[in-house]
């Protein structure tokens, strides 16, 4: 049992179980894209640990870069405008695999994909360590899923609770 800020969490997925699953996700991706060049795009901040671990097992000719979703007050009356920060690679005609920490409602990944599509990549696949199917209401389901989990809040292994807990080496679930 651990405390992060005002909440109590308990171990949900241990370090070794995560590592095993991450290794097998990498093997699956290596097999599916055998002979192809892949650009991995990791979504900060949450995916930094997952991205680092999975990339060590990727044997494809590949690149990795990091993006962040942000939204700013647009000039139009429509209000907030989403943008992708850090997307410097030219994705035209490229095979892209997005690395995410978690897909919850799916709103974030839908925005990322629609902004990425402006660059006309050949293919975009989504690899998410965690997926909450009961919360999902988006357009793009992950193609590669580490663990499908119930609709309860988790921290650790990159995921935060108010920016705290990202450093934990296992995934912890909120205790109610
Ligand atoms: P979305 O609902 O799929 O758009 O997810 C939005 C973001 O919420 C994710 O990228 C995470 O940063 C965060 N998030 C969703 N569920 C959790 C959770 O259980 N723990 C920590 N962060 C979460
Ligand atoms: Mg995230």
């Amino acid at each position: 049992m651990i405390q992060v800020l005002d909440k109590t969490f308990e171990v949900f997925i241990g370090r070794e179980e995560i590592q095993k699953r991450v290794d097998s996700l990498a093997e699956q991706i290596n097999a599916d894209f055998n002979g192809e060049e892949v650009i991995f795009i990791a979504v900060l901040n949450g995916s930094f640990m997952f991205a680092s671990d999975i990339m060590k097992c990727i044997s494809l000719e590949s690149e990795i870069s990091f993006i962040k979703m942000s939204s700013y007050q647009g000039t139009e009356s429509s209000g907030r405008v989403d943008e992708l920060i850090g997307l410097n690679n030219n994705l035209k005609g490229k095979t892209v695999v997005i690395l995410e920490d978690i897909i919850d409602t799916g709103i974030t990944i839908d925005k990322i994909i629609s902004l990425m599509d402006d660059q006309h990549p050949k293919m975009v696949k989504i690899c998410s360590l965690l997926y909450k199917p009961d919360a999902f209401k988006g357009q793009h389901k992950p193609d590669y899923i580490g663990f499908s989990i119930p609709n309860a809040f988790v921290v650790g292994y990159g995921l935060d609770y108010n920016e705290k807990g990202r450093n934990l080496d296992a995934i912890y679930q909120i205790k109610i």
Side-chain angles (χ1 to χ4, degrees):
M1 218 103 89
I2 56 149
Q3 188 79 16
V4 180
L5 300 172
D6 59 330
K7 303 251 187 294
T8 308
F9 293 82
E10 57 192 351
V11 179
F12 180 51
I13 310 171
R15 181 71 192 95
E16 282 180 18
E17 199 185 341
I18 297 170
Q19 193 56 59
K20 266 194 214 147
R21 188 71 194 113
V22 170
D23 290 355
S24 71
L25 278 177
E27 275 167 32
Q28 212 180 324
I29 290 170
N30 287 335
D32 290 355
F33 297 94
N34 187 22
E36 286 182 64
E37 189 178 340
V38 174
I39 300 189
F40 290 90
I41 304 275
V43 184
L44 294 174
N45 291 326
S47 74
F48 80 97
M49 238 183 235
F50 173 48
S52 156
D53 281 344
I54 196 169
M55 289 309 288
K56 291 172 209 163
C57 305
I58 292 292
S59 54
L60 304 164
E61 185 181 335
S62 61
E63 297 175 12
I64 181 165
S65 67
F66 299 85
I67 59 167
K68 216 168 172 164
M69 268 297 295
S70 112
S71 64
Y72 61 96
Q73 197 67 46
T75 50
E76 316 262 313
S77 54
S78 57
R80 303 202 72 78
V81 179
D82 297 305
E83 64 173 357
L84 283 182
I85 300 173
L87 190 57
N88 303 319
N89 311 54
N90 183 1
L91 302 180
K92 191 172 164 53
K94 298 289 172 69
T95 298
V96 175
V97 175
I98 299 173
L99 300 175
E100 257 289 27
D101 53 347
I102 188 164
I103 294 178
D104 184 24
T105 62
I107 290 168
T108 308
I109 196 69
D110 279 357
K111 284 180 187 165
I112 289 172
I113 298 233
S114 79
L115 289 166
M116 230 173 234
D117 278 346
D118 296 346
Q119 288 205 17
H120 306 290
K122 177 176 151 198
M123 185 197 293
V124 178
K125 297 285 185 190
I126 303 161
C127 175
S128 187
L129 178 68
L130 302 173
Y131 174 50
K132 291 181 179 170
D134 297 339
F136 185 78
K137 50 183 169 81
Q139 301 297 313
H140 302 89
K141 277 192 187 161
D143 303 282
Y144 300 92
I145 297 167
F147 302 93
S148 287
I149 63 168
N151 204 357
F153 195 78
V154 291
V155 288
Y157 195 70
L159 291 117
D160 72 301
Y161 167 48
N162 286 348
E163 295 303 326
K164 301 294 193 292
R166 295 193 194 275
N167 53 304
L168 298 164
D169 73 351
I171 295 166
Y172 291 75
Q173 190 175 60
I174 196 156
K175 201 164 156 49
I176 25 161

